[in-house]
Amino acid sequence: YLTIFGNYYRRWFKWKKYNVTGKISVKLSKWTALSPDPTREDGNNKLREEAAKKGANAVIFVRYSGPKITLTSWSVLEVNGEAVRFEE
């Protein structure tokens, strides 16, 4: 299970050794007015999937943008973070 850490833990990361495997960005959309809005939990799940593909065991410095309305969808939630592998 991959762990999601927000900016609150920034000081803790100074003392923990890790390797950055890459930056991750996911975009979740609501295509119709009747579809459910994308949630932060949905964004976290997509981040976990993308981080697992990169071989990471955590995502740090997670940032959320939205939800906002665009020309092509009713609601868009953008989630960004860094996939890392903590050393044991």
Side-chain angles (χ1 to χ4, degrees), residues 33-85:
L34 301 176
S35 300
D37 285 330
T39 64
R40 285 186 174 200
E41 190 60 35
D42 296 335
N44 289 342
N45 290 335
K46 289 296 277 184
L47 277 182
R48 286 184 182 103
E49 290 173 15
E50 294 299 317
K53 290 178 187 176
K54 293 180 178 264
N57 60 8
V59 180
I60 62 174
F61 308 137
V62 177
R63 294 169 302 281
Y64 304 93
S65 174
K68 57 188 172 187
I69 296 173
T70 66
L71 292 173
T72 58
S73 68
W74 284 91
S75 180
V76 174
L77 175 66
E78 295 179 28
V79 186
N80 302 300
E82 288 185 29
V84 298
R85 181 133 194 96

